Amino acid sequence: VPALSVRDLRKTYDNRVEALKGVSLDVAPGDFFALLGPNGAGKSTLIGIVSSLVNLSAGQVRIFGTDLATRRDDAMRLIGLVPQELNFNMFEKPLDILVNYAGFYGVPRSVAIERAEEELKRAQLWDKAGMMSRTLSGGMKRRLMIARAMMTRPQLLILDEPTAGVDIEIRRGMWKTLREINAAGTTIILTTHYLEEAESLCRNLAIIDHGRIVEQGPMKALLAKL
Ligand code: ADP
Ligand code: ADP
């Protein structure tokens, strides 16, 4: 079954903006998938619906075959979400942030501590585990967001414009962490408006514009068309 299956998804906001006008797409398990499109295309709306932050107006979403409408909690357990804004407590240490987050989701403390070490290493933050998060660099803070999302061992990691507004050094550091996560088996979907980011990271992509998918397929095939 696909990691994500979206069928004829529509979203009209209360202000009557039609953000999604019938979107269908499939993301295969293990894929690294980009949703590429300009500002206002509907990327955040789509990601918001898949992660249950936004209500859909019509259509169907399945996560590894689990229907979001009827089995929302089961579906949500399969997902890790990396929001755009840094939203951890800057006055806590990375290790505590990760362990507490896992605890909130019911992961036993001993397991959480082991996982936190693994995730901090993968995010190149292990040597910062005991520092005040406020003192981390911008790139480190971003990678901490990724490490935290991995603490529940999601099958599908979703990132909304993870590198918006950050410089190329920071972007490269995040890409390295994401590649390692994907190589270890987690399906990744990210939204971006940088073609170079999609090109560098992703095997498959969909291009969205004005609430519609305008192209969809392997990165290589799409690049050949451009
Ligand atoms: P939902 O149907 O998913 O609950 P709403 O249409 O109720 O979404 O909007 C959610 C919130 O986003 C509202 O508080 C609204 O004021 C705010 N909002 C309105 N317009 C925009 C916009 N163009 N971009 C982002 N947020 C907006
Ligand atoms: P993207 O992530 O590609 O920039 P969005 O999904 O944020 O696109 O927005 C798609 C369209 O929906 C835009 O026209 C935006 O202004 C509108 N929109 C987004 N969020 C809301 C909201 N909460 N309420 C009303 N309109 C919104």
Side-chain angles (χ1 to χ4, degrees):
V1 304
L4 174 67
S5 162
V6 168
R7 286 291 169 276
D8 201 26
L9 193 62
R10 291 166 196 276
K11 173 64 181 179
T12 306
Y13 284 104
D14 294 347
N15 60 1
R16 298 191 187 166
V17 170
E18 285 183 78
L20 298 176
K21 301 168 183 167
V23 165
S24 298
L25 58 85
D26 283 322
V27 177
D31 202 356
F32 202 142
F33 188 94
L35 189 63
L36 177 70
N39 283 328
K43 302 183 297 296
S44 295
T45 300
L46 179 53
I47 290 303
I49 290 171
V50 170
S51 51
S52 276
L53 301 171
V54 176
N55 294 317
L56 53 78
S57 303
Q60 191 190 48
V61 177
R62 285 174 181 271
I63 295 154
F64 288 96
T66 303
D67 183 64
L68 191 60
T70 57
R71 294 174 59 204
R72 175 171 156 160
D73 290 352
D74 292 334
M76 283 304 103
R77 264 191 278 282
L78 301 169
I79 290 184
L81 183 67
V82 180
Q84 237 184 71
E85 300 79 31
L86 302 174
N87 64 356
F88 53 80
N89 185 340
M90 293 290 165
F91 295 93
E92 284 181 17
K93 298 164 183 171
L95 184 65
D96 297 332
I97 289 170
L98 266 53
V99 170
N100 293 341
Y101 182 84
F104 179 80
Y105 286 99
V107 179
R109 193 171 169 83
S110 57
V111 176
I113 289 168
E114 268 176 41
R115 273 189 201 173
E117 177 172 349
E118 213 174 296
E119 294 306 332
L120 287 169
K121 283 179 176 164
R122 187 149 64 175
Q124 304 158 76
L125 290 172
W126 182 234
D127 57 331
K128 313 289 179 203
M131 286 179 63
M132 190 72 86
S133 295
R134 181 173 48 89
T135 66
L136 301 179
S137 72
M140 291 173 190
K141 286 173 181 160
R142 296 264 168 182
R143 297 200 302 276
L144 181 57
M145 293 289 288
I146 298 172
R148 187 183 63 174
M150 290 305 296
M151 287 297 290
T152 59
R153 289 290 184 266
Q155 302 290 303
L156 172 60
L157 184 67
I158 298 177
L159 305 99
D160 193 6
E161 304 237 11
T163 63
V166 305
D167 67 36
I168 186 67
E169 278 314 304
I170 294 180
R171 234 183 284 168
R172 290 214 176 101
M174 295 174 74
W175 291 355
K176 180 172 153 64
T177 298
L178 291 174
R179 282 197 191 97
E180 285 181 25
I181 289 169
N182 180 244
T186 305
T187 309
I188 300 183
I189 300 176
L190 60 78
T191 68
T192 183
H193 57 261
Y194 302 116
L195 175 63
E196 49 162 320
E197 178 157 85
E199 198 179 333
S200 160
L201 283 175
C202 300
R203 277 186 290 281
N204 293 289
L205 85 166
I207 301 177
I208 184 167
D209 193 20
H210 291 96
R212 288 197 173 87
I213 303 286
V214 294
E215 292 276 2
Q216 190 173 179
M219 190 74 226
K220 279 179 190 154
L222 255 95
L223 284 174
K225 276 200 207 173
L226 293 178

